Amino acid sequence: MSSSPSVSTPAPAASTPVHDPTHAPTQAELLDFVRRTAADTELIESLPLDPEGRTWVRLEGPGGSEAWLIGWPPGTGTGWHDHAESVGAFLTASGELKENSLTARLPADGWKTLELTEGVDRERRLPAGKGRAFGRHHVHEVLNESTDQHAVSVHAYYPPLPQIRRYSRTGQVLRLEQVERPADWQ
């Protein structure tokens, strides 16, 4: 989440199935959840969109996961970050997002600056209906590069996000800048 968003009140996803709370959802189940939730046009259209900053609504995810419906004004993005020990999935419900990610597994802790090797960068275009699942310590940034169209996406994480580590990047140098805890974005 960004530092100065417009936050909407929480709402459960209309398509959320009942899950066994003792079963941790898999990446595939999280991807299935975001896919079904993104298909709920009434829910997607209910998200208030702000022309200046991202907006979001917390959803009830499967099996105790944390889920979000996020609105992206033109030209906005997350910056480089990871989701610590959580696995996750996200899918673009409307508009198009771009994900830049690293294929290299980074150390979890104990570093402030890393020099990345060549060839670790990946880029994905995610138009409406496209998404992906990812594992623990996945480092990426998500962008709406449109100059005139909002994008809306659905995200789910398990376990619920214990923290988000934010990075800056200059060329092949990645620097840990900040560690956010749930109280910082809820």
Side-chain angles (χ1 to χ4, degrees):
M1 310 297 102
S2 70
S3 58
S4 59
S6 300
V7 179
S8 302
T9 56
S15 60
T16 304
V18 176
H19 282 270
D20 177 356
T22 62
H23 169 74
T26 65
Q27 291 176 39
E29 289 169 330
L30 294 174
L31 186 57
D32 180 60
F33 168 80
V34 298
R35 188 171 283 125
R36 286 182 291 105
T37 303
D40 182 343
T41 55
E42 187 176 325
L43 176 66
I44 301 307
E45 291 172 1
S46 75
L47 179 67
L49 300 177
D50 181 329
E52 300 297 319
R54 289 189 300 151
T55 54
W56 56 77
V57 173
R58 186 164 183 166
L59 306 172
E60 186 177 324
S65 64
E66 179 172 347
W68 299 90
L69 177 62
I70 302 176
W72 305 76
T76 59
T78 60
W80 287 95
H81 68 283
D82 72 18
H83 306 101
E85 295 294 323
S86 297
V87 298
F90 71 101
L91 187 128
T92 305
S94 67
E96 179 177 278
L97 294 173
K98 179 175 115 175
E99 180 197 35
N100 295 317
S101 63
L102 302 177
T103 60
R105 168 95 183 203
L106 303 181
D109 292 305
W111 65 276
K112 291 280 186 189
T113 303
L114 287 176
E115 186 164 348
L116 303 169
T117 59
E118 295 294 325
V120 298
D121 290 295
R122 294 294 177 267
E123 177 183 305
R124 287 181 179 84
R125 295 277 173 189
L126 301 166
K130 298 293 182 187
R132 68 177 311 243
F134 54 85
R136 290 170 170 76
H137 305 287
H138 177 68
V139 177
H140 69 163
E141 68 175 347
V142 180
L143 308 160
N144 177 4
E145 293 185 321
S146 173
T147 58
D148 61 356
Q149 184 179 10
H150 266 80
V152 175
S153 58
V154 181
H155 303 246
Y157 310 97
Y158 188 86
L161 295 172
Q163 65 183 14
I164 292 178
R165 290 181 286 239
R166 298 211 176 267
Y167 306 99
S168 63
R169 182 163 179 195
T170 305
Q172 294 302 107
V173 176
L174 189 70
R175 287 184 180 80
L176 176 63
E177 297 290 344
Q178 179 180 1
V179 177
E180 296 177 0
R181 305 258 185 276
D184 297 329
W185 64 79
Q186 292 180 0

